Amino acid sequence: GYVASDRIRVGDDMAEKVALELIDVTNLRGTLIKDPSDFIASKAITRGKPITTDLVENRPERTKGDSILLIYNNNAIKLEITGIAEGNAVVGKTFPVRNPSSGKVFSAIYQGNGRAVVHH
């Protein structure tokens, strides 16, 4: 499995900081990850620690500051505006998006390809 070949900070790309080694899986809390390029660190990881699912999160498709097409849809109206991501956007997950003209922050569900639907 993969172990940290260097210290990994929260949000770091993992691909360059891991190495394949034989690991005793008896006392591991999570499952070993299969491909580190799919993930970023969700917690700080010390050198030599096995990389398991409880230490990582899916690599976001969009990050804080990126433009997002924000869609609000109810039965009467559909509104689309360009918003600014206030957190990491992973498909199917809720994240904050700011309306740049009003400054309001909304919770939205990321749909992929730079599109999010306002969670209401």
Side-chain angles (χ1 to χ4, degrees), residues 5-6 13-18:
S5 57
D6 199 357
D13 187 347
M14 312 226 349
E16 302 295 320
K17 298 182 177 183
V18 296

Side-chain angles (χ1 to χ4, degrees), residues 39-81:
F39 301 100
I40 61 171
S42 62
K43 298 178 181 170
I45 304 169
T46 56
R47 185 174 188 213
K49 187 164 181 72
I51 308 299
T52 55
T53 53
D54 60 321
L55 301 174
V56 299
E57 62 187 26
N58 288 336
R59 176 180 300 287
E61 191 174 300
R62 298 287 192 274
T63 57
K64 185 175 180 173
D66 288 349
S67 290
I68 300 288
L69 179 63
L70 188 59
I71 302 164
Y72 175 80
N73 195 3
N74 69 15
N75 294 335
I77 189 170
K78 180 178 182 181
L79 178 64
E80 294 183 0
I81 64 167

Side-chain angles (χ1 to χ4, degrees), residues 4 20 39 43 50 65 75-76 79 82 84 86 88-89 95 99 107 110:
L20 275 173
F39 301 100
K43 298 178 181 170
N75 294 335
L79 178 64
T82 300
I84 306 296
E86 289 294 316
N88 290 339
F95 75 112
N99 177 340
S107 288
Y110 189 64

Side-chain angles (χ1 to χ4, degrees), residues 70 94-97 105-109 117-120:
L70 188 59
T94 300
F95 75 112
V97 181
V105 176
F106 298 90
S107 288
I109 300 171
V117 175
V118 173
H119 187 65
H120 54 89

